[in-house]
């Protein structure tokens, strides 16, 4: 993945800390928490404080670079940055791997359900939990 281009498209500076976080997220098959990230960065001898990790994740969330996983609250790199709209997740309950998907029909169905209850959604996240092909 071309991290400098990704950061440039998001109007974010190309810093060592941002690239290090993106690198760790891109190599992980499971969501990473702030604590996971801090530990992994320390092991890689990347100098970054906890407040900076929180600030970078906040920026990445706002720019759509990462998603906050609905079940764990940890973060995953957006695997479908060119797909606008609803993104969902398939989460393996055994190995904890996460696969991201986009489905327009599912998005429309969720909005229809919300409207039927006179509810105006601001966002919605789908997380299907089960067993991945490797764990079945």
């Amino acid at each position: 993945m071309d991290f400098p281009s990704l950061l440039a498209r998001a109007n974010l500076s190309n810093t060592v800390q941002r690239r290090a976080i993106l690198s760790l997220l891109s190599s992980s098959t499971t969501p990473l928490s702030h604590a996971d990230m801090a530990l992994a960065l320390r092991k890689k001898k990347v100098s970054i404080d906890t407040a900076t990790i929180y600030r970078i994740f906040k920026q990445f969330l706002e720019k759509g670079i990462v998603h906050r996983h609905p079940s764990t609250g940890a973060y995953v790199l957006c695997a479908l940055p060119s797909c606008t709209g609803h993104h969902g997740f398939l989460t393996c309950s055994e190995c904890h791997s996460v696969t991201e998907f986009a489905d327009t029909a599912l998005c429309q169905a969720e909005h229809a359900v919300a409207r039927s209850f006179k509810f105006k959604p601001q966002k919605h996240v789908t997380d299907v939990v089960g067993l991945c092909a490797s764990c079945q």
Side-chain angles (χ1 to χ4, degrees):
M1 180 174 276
D2 181 12
F3 300 138
S5 294
L6 177 65
L7 292 167
R9 281 192 307 273
N11 292 318
L12 294 171
S13 299
N14 182 8
T15 66
V16 171
Q17 292 89 353
R18 286 184 178 127
R19 286 193 315 272
I21 287 174
L22 289 170
S23 178
L24 287 171
L25 287 169
S26 71
S27 65
S28 180
T29 59
T30 61
L32 298 174
S33 68
H34 294 104
D36 297 332
M37 187 60 63
L39 180 62
L41 290 169
R42 272 196 301 277
K43 285 181 181 177
K44 291 189 172 279
K45 305 214 184 306
V46 175
S47 178
I48 188 169
D49 60 42
T50 304
T52 302
I53 293 171
Y54 275 87
R55 189 170 49 255
I56 289 173
F57 272 125
K58 183 177 186 275
Q59 293 168 337
F60 284 178
L61 272 171
E62 290 169 354
K63 301 290 185 173
I65 294 171
V66 299
H67 299 292
R68 192 163 195 165
H69 190 268
S71 298
T72 65
Y75 298 87
V76 294
L77 187 63
C78 179
L80 306 168
S82 61
C83 292
T84 58
H86 179 67
H87 290 204
F89 304 97
L90 304 172
T91 304
C92 181
S93 58
E94 186 70 28
C95 70
H96 308 289
S97 66
V98 174
T99 303
E100 186 176 351
F101 68 90
D103 188 308
T104 304
L106 179 59
C107 180
Q108 292 169 348
E110 288 176 334
H111 276 290
V113 168
R115 281 192 306 273
S116 74
F117 286 94
K118 297 188 182 351
F119 187 83
K120 185 177 180 181
Q122 294 174 327
K123 68 177 184 172
H124 49 98
V125 180
T126 301
D127 185 23
V128 181
V129 179
L131 294 175
C132 69
S134 298
C135 292
Q136 291 179 33

